[in-house]
Amino acid sequence: MSQISIQIKNLSKRLGPNQALAGITASFEPALLYGLIGPDGAGKTTLMRILMGLLFPDSGECAYLDNHQTVAFERVRSSIAYMPQQQSLYPDLSVAEHLEFFRDLYLISGKVFQKRRAELLHLTRMEPFQDRPAGKLSGGMYKKLGLMCALLQSPDVVLLDEPTNGVDPISRREFWDLLYRLIRQKILVIMSTAYMDEAERCSRVLVLDEGKIIAAGEPLSVLKQEKAGNFEELFLQRQKAGRR
Amino acid sequence: MSAGFRFSRAWSIARKEVRHVRRDPFTLATALGLPILLVVFFGYAIDFNVKDIHMIAADRDNTRASREWLKNFTSSRFFKLEPADPGQDPQSALDTEQAKGVIIIEPGFGNDLGAGRPAEVQILLDGADNSTTGIISGYLIGIQQAAWKKISSGPRVQPLSLQTRFLFNQEQNSRWFVVSGLVVVVIGVLSILLTALTVAREWETGSMELLLSTPVRPLEIIFGKLAPYLGLVLVSVVMVYLVARIQFGLPFMGNHLLFLAGILLFLCLCLAQGLLISVITRQQQLAMQLSFISGLLPTLLLSGFIFPIESMPPFFQYLTYILAPRWFMVISRGLFLKGVGLLELAQPLFMLLLLNLIMMGLALKRFKKDLEP
């Protein structure tokens, strides 16, 4: 099994008048859950899209390593799963039809698909809703379907852009249980969130603001270093200090 | 693994698209309803055959000769003659749109005619409606000749006479002319609109972002998304063809395979145009407006559908060379009404092929596999 890690160096990206990313350096290792933490407009989605190859950086590097060997993005592309922030499923297609559609796109064989599909439906407790169109799912179930589509191909890297946004607290807890399962399978998970309380659940955090990383590391040591009780406080402190 | 075109992936996109179409009443209604609407609208509403034109006759001479002369008008089915209101200026009928023309015969008409002097009749036509008046003045020449024969003493041999015979569409049925061009309008509007909407929808709802993150290739997306609409529009074309043949009694003089080749060429071109619009706009609303402007206007105005290209200013004549509907119009009419063959259609077919290559090249070049603005 391949273990993919990602290293980014001095990544910058301008989108229209905004400097979405201004020189970001970080590395992402397998079997860890990285949280991109920051307010709206911090550059989280832009970074996600660059990692997925949907946007190209103006300057800087984005390298993918497979067992410590640098590989071309096209080689690893099919083992990276991505769940966009925007609702991107087809409202008129049912849960089962979505899974079949993504099976075909990822060229998954019938046998593997049957097993994986049963596994995912069980894990997400979505078995009773297979025939329900995506447009009629609740916020939490919709996100779960998105995650199922992403996980169908058994990826090595999972990129989730605000997966818990607009999801009720109970569904959010369920969602986190699913994420913990993933990292136990040595998968690299990178998720972004604007919910500060979720930061402490990540293995590592990258705190982003205005396109820059203002702190990075294990959540508790970041808080200690910044002398903040929690991440909300961290941002409030920064705001008071006029964004150093 | 992800390199190269995989038919199965294109097929899965096509199958998904068919599901969308089947569940979306708007698309189905447009694809099947719009052609019928166009056929009924253009087939029945547009009629260049003029008949029952209202004319006002002010016969101030009121002699046998003047009455005889006027009878020529009433005996043709083209005109409906009404005597003028005596207390009213006959010309006011034109102002109030009561009549398209006024005939005034001054006193002395009969005397002049009898004495062998030139007799005069004044005819006033409503020039504001120049298409009708153009046709009226055409008929007038014929009526004048008929009247001359009757009134003048005995038939004189005319030194020169023109015998016109129409080779195609002998009855000069304008409905045949319009309906044989309708296939062009239906394909032109429908296929551009439907493809522009379906791809723009994918961008607008954000599902394109998810699609592009999968190993699916742009070409697979394009093939998968367009194939169902190709089929759908072909069904509409068959519908229009059947209505034209059965309802309007249109002949089909040419080769059906040649017609199919022309249809496919034109259809692919329109699909590429719709695709280009949608990848540029990425929004349904804008894509719809652009499709109507770029699809409907050239087809209706610059293809020769109604307005002959030969009578356009030179600039517009040359402009029509790069417009696909113009070429397909030649093919459609040629096959329906004239029965031309491959040799005569070589130029339009070649032009369609050339425009196809250009349009597809543009659409593929602009189709992005990333989200860069």
Side-chain angles (χ1 to χ4, degrees):
Chain A
M1 178 182 161
S2 57
Q3 293 199 5
I4 293 173
S5 49
I6 305 174
Q7 290 182 348
I8 54 175
K9 217 192 248 168
N10 227 347
L11 223 52
S12 288
K13 177 73 182 172
R14 177 175 277 277
L15 285 172
N18 301 323
Q19 189 67 44
L21 293 179
I24 285 192
T25 301
S27 74
F28 304 94
E29 299 299 329
L32 289 177
L33 197 165
Y34 289 83
L36 305 179
I37 318 293
D40 287 339
K44 305 186 296 283
T45 297
T46 307
L47 180 56
M48 285 280 183
R49 285 175 171 171
I50 289 178
L51 292 177
M52 191 61 241
L54 294 171
L55 287 176
F56 308 110
D58 297 333
S59 63
E61 264 175 55
C62 184
Y64 300 82
L65 294 96
D66 188 352
N67 293 319
H68 308 292
Q69 295 281 313
T70 311
V71 286
F73 172 66
E74 281 306 316
R75 284 273 305 281
V76 292
R77 184 189 188 113
S78 57
S79 43
I80 305 176
Y82 172 58
M83 190 173 135
Q85 176 186 6
Q86 209 187 343
Q87 293 212 342
S88 47
L89 302 171
Y90 301 100
D92 55 330
L93 295 193
S94 71
V95 171
E97 284 166 346
H98 270 97
L99 294 177
E100 282 165 26
F101 180 54
F102 280 86
R103 168 198 68 194
D104 296 343
L105 292 188
Y106 284 105
L107 306 170
I108 301 170
S109 74
K111 224 171 165 184
V112 176
F113 172 70
Q114 287 307 331
K115 189 168 161 260
R116 188 74 180 151
R117 179 194 137 105
E119 213 175 272
L120 287 170
L121 283 171
H122 176 73
L123 220 65
T124 52
R125 292 191 279 139
M126 290 275 281
E127 285 131 326
F129 308 107
Q130 289 179 50
D131 295 323
R132 192 177 286 193
K136 293 211 170 90
L137 292 174
S138 69
M141 287 204 278
Y142 188 95
K143 295 283 186 181
K144 278 193 213 166
L145 175 57
L147 188 66
M148 277 198 284
C149 292
L151 296 181
L152 200 61
Q153 44 142 343
S154 310
D156 299 320
V157 181
V158 178
L159 306 173
L160 307 167
D161 198 357
E162 303 209 4
T164 53
N165 192 11
V167 173
D168 68 85
I170 293 169
S171 303
R172 258 165 76 183
R173 180 175 292 246
E174 278 182 12
F175 209 92
W176 274 94
D177 287 340
L178 284 171
L179 295 184
Y180 285 136
R181 263 172 200 276
L182 291 179
I183 50 172
R184 279 203 294 274
Q185 294 165 17
K186 307 284 179 223
I187 290 174
L188 162 60
V189 180
I190 304 174
M191 70 169 286
S192 67
T193 181
Y195 294 128
M196 299 302 161
D197 58 307
E198 288 188 330
E200 287 162 52
R201 295 169 171 237
C202 302
S203 346
R204 302 280 186 277
V205 289
L206 267 78
V207 186
L208 283 167
D209 196 19
E210 294 184 318
K212 292 191 196 80
I213 294 182
I214 53 170
E218 285 177 49
L220 290 179
S221 53
V222 166
L223 289 179
K224 214 167 165 186
Q225 191 189 321
E226 297 285 320
K227 296 186 186 70
N230 56 44
F231 281 89
E232 222 166 284
E233 226 177 274
L234 190 154
F235 274 97
L236 289 174
Q237 279 175 13
R238 271 177 62 79
Q239 223 166 29
K240 262 191 210 152
R243 288 192 162 164
R244 287 167 280 178
Chain B
M1 167 181 178
S2 61
F5 183 89
R6 287 298 193 109
F7 183 74
S8 62
R9 280 197 295 246
W11 176 249
S12 69
I13 296 213
R15 210 173 46 187
K16 169 189 81 78
E17 205 59 36
V18 170
R19 283 184 171 143
H20 288 323
V21 172
R22 275 175 36 204
R23 289 168 195 174
D24 176 23
F26 174 77
T27 308
L28 266 186
T30 312
L32 304 176
L34 194 66
I36 295 294
L37 196 77
L38 284 172
V39 170
V40 170
F41 187 76
F42 285 109
Y44 288 107
I46 297 189
D47 191 351
F48 310 127
N49 302 327
V50 185
K51 55 186 167 209
D52 293 342
I53 300 170
H54 280 264
M55 301 279 276
I56 299 279
D59 186 0
R60 291 168 185 161
D61 186 44
N62 207 7
T63 56
R64 203 182 69 87
S66 69
R67 283 193 298 271
E68 196 68 36
W69 192 86
L70 280 173
K71 212 183 258 172
N72 283 298
F73 276 90
T74 42
S75 60
S76 87
R77 64 189 165 93
F78 302 126
F79 298 103
K80 219 171 149 184
L81 221 55
E82 272 173 52
D85 206 340
Q88 217 182 354
D89 178 12
Q91 207 181 317
S92 68
L94 291 183
D95 302 335
T96 54
E97 297 270 329
Q98 281 177 327
K100 288 283 173 201
V102 174
I103 304 168
I104 301 169
I105 304 179
E106 295 294 347
F109 174 82
N111 281 340
D112 287 344
L113 207 62
R117 288 192 294 270
E120 285 180 346
V121 176
Q122 187 183 25
I123 296 179
L124 302 167
L125 295 177
D126 179 3
D129 178 2
N130 65 350
S131 72
T132 312
T133 45
I135 297 163
I136 298 174
S137 56
Y139 287 128
L140 278 177
I141 298 169
I143 287 176
Q144 169 66 17
Q145 280 175 357
W148 172 250
K149 279 184 189 167
K150 269 195 220 165
I151 298 175
S152 64
S153 45
R156 280 184 213 171
V157 182
Q158 278 178 303
L160 186 77
S161 87
L162 280 176
Q163 293 282 329
T164 313
R165 193 175 142 240
F166 297 101
L167 276 182
F168 313 109
N169 190 5
Q170 272 101 340
E171 293 166 46
Q172 287 293 288
N173 186 336
S174 70
R175 275 195 187 129
W176 282 16
F177 178 72
V178 173
V179 173
S180 63
L182 264 181
V183 179
V184 186
V185 181
V186 168
I187 298 178
V189 178
L190 208 56
S191 49
I192 295 175
L193 181 68
L194 289 179
T195 45
L197 281 183
T198 174
V199 184
R201 186 184 305 133
E202 204 101 20
W203 277 107
E204 196 175 294
T205 58
S207 49
M208 192 59 95
E209 183 172 357
L210 187 58
L211 265 190
L212 293 176
S213 76
T214 71
V216 73
R217 307 266 105 189
L219 213 55
E220 292 160 358
I221 299 180
I222 293 171
F223 270 92
K225 286 204 75 83
L226 298 196
Y229 291 96
L230 194 118
L232 197 60
V233 176
L234 277 180
V235 170
S236 317
V237 170
V238 170
M239 268 168 38
V240 173
Y241 174 84
L242 290 177
V243 172
R245 295 296 304 274
I246 297 166
Q247 183 66 30
F248 292 96
L250 227 69
F252 190 88
M253 318 283 285
N255 183 320
H256 278 95
L257 275 179
L258 208 53
F259 193 42
L260 186 65
I263 287 174
L264 287 177
L265 273 177
F266 183 57
L267 186 50
C268 287
L269 184 58
C270 292
L271 293 176
Q273 187 175 339
L275 183 68
L276 185 64
I277 289 172
S278 64
V279 295
I280 290 173
T281 62
R282 296 187 185 182
Q283 283 177 42
Q284 291 189 77
Q285 190 79 34
L286 203 58
M288 182 134 120
Q289 288 165 356
L290 263 180
S291 310
F292 269 120
I293 291 170
S294 73
L296 199 60
L297 290 187
T299 316
L300 287 185
L301 303 179
L302 295 173
S303 69
F305 174 51
I306 294 171
F307 309 106
I309 291 170
E310 294 74 27
S311 45
M312 291 173 190
F315 170 75
F316 285 99
Q317 289 198 27
Y318 286 118
L319 182 68
T320 63
Y321 276 66
I322 57 161
L323 298 175
R326 175 229 158 100
W327 298 110
F328 187 54
M329 188 67 71
V330 175
I331 296 173
S332 182
R333 288 222 171 103
L335 290 173
F336 265 110
L337 302 177
K338 294 197 221 168
V340 292
L342 186 60
L343 202 65
E344 292 88 343
L345 294 181
Q347 191 202 13
L349 284 170
F350 173 77
M351 285 306 290
L352 280 184
L353 194 67
L354 188 73
L355 291 171
N356 244 307
L357 292 178
I358 294 170
M359 191 66 88
M360 282 184 178
L362 276 176
L364 288 179
K365 202 171 167 222
R366 286 301 304 258
F367 193 93
K368 293 192 162 203
K369 47 180 186 176
D370 53 60
L371 296 172
E372 291 284 345

